[in-house]
Amino acid sequence: MHPRLPLPEASDGDDLGGFLAWLREAIPQVTHYGIHSPAWDATTLHWKVALDANLNDKGTGFGGALAGETTLLGWCWTTLWLRARGRAQDVVIAEGQQRFLAPVTTDYHMQCFPLEADGIARLEASLAEKERGRIKLVQRVYCGDTLCMEAQGSYAVLK
């Protein structure tokens, strides 16, 4: 087992570039994904991804890389949401599914947000009561305006 790299302290306005740098060191696979330009807007986490880092034999986005990136995006959403509330708890994916809708043929952008309108409130209540909880998130992959993939995941916040 490898030593765990501690999550950096959260700061005002959270430094997403610093978080991404930590992520690349903590999870070496992330360095190969071509992720850049993370942004947080209210309840949605966005990032851009270079296609050339994720090509398959057909010259389009490799489904395994896309699945990994959507899983990671949901984990990051949950981790960053917790950090903004001063909570340093472990997050794991409990369940996930993907639908591939169109080939990824160019650099792409991804977004992640809660599946259910009351998802954040339910997670907050569960954390207050049990110090653990779950949230269902949606991750979408776009080439320009074309929705190429949609994933959903249930993320568990551990005690």
Side-chain angles (χ1 to χ4, degrees):
M1 196 161 141
H2 293 279
R4 182 178 178 157
L5 188 62
L7 188 64
E9 296 277 331
S11 61
D12 289 340
D14 219 339
D15 172 16
L16 292 176
F19 179 78
L20 186 56
W22 169 83
L23 195 61
R24 288 180 178 132
E25 189 175 350
I27 305 173
Q29 179 64 37
V30 174
T31 62
H32 303 286
Y33 281 150
I35 298 166
H36 61 92
S37 305
W40 183 268
D41 103 34
T43 59
T44 305
L45 178 61
H46 306 264
W47 62 34
K48 296 179 182 178
V49 186
L51 175 62
D52 63 354
N54 299 289
L55 288 172
N56 64 19
D57 61 316
K58 296 157 202 65
T60 61
F62 174 57
L66 296 168
E69 290 163 2
T70 57
T71 300
L72 178 67
L73 184 62
W75 180 90
C76 289
W77 186 100
T78 309
T79 299
L80 289 167
W81 183 87
L82 288 165
R83 279 173 46 122
R85 283 143 189 84
R87 300 184 80 103
Q89 291 177 253
D90 284 332
V91 175
V92 297
I93 185 162
E95 185 178 344
Q97 62 184 17
Q98 302 91 31
R99 289 183 328 141
F100 297 88
L101 305 167
V104 174
T105 57
T106 64
D107 290 352
Y108 49 100
H109 62 279
M110 302 175 71
Q111 59 179 222
C112 179
F113 53 89
L115 173 66
E116 301 159 330
D118 66 344
I120 291 173
R122 289 183 21 223
L123 178 58
E124 286 174 328
S126 182
L127 290 170
E129 181 183 334
K130 306 178 207 171
E131 296 185 36
R132 60 186 169 85
R134 281 193 187 203
I135 188 163
K136 293 178 182 176
L137 300 173
V138 174
Q139 302 88 27
R140 291 187 175 149
V141 176
Y142 291 91
C143 289
D145 293 331
T146 302
L147 178 60
C148 297
M149 178 186 177
E150 184 172 85
Q152 292 183 13
S154 176
Y155 291 82
V157 178
L158 307 178
K159 189 170 182 181

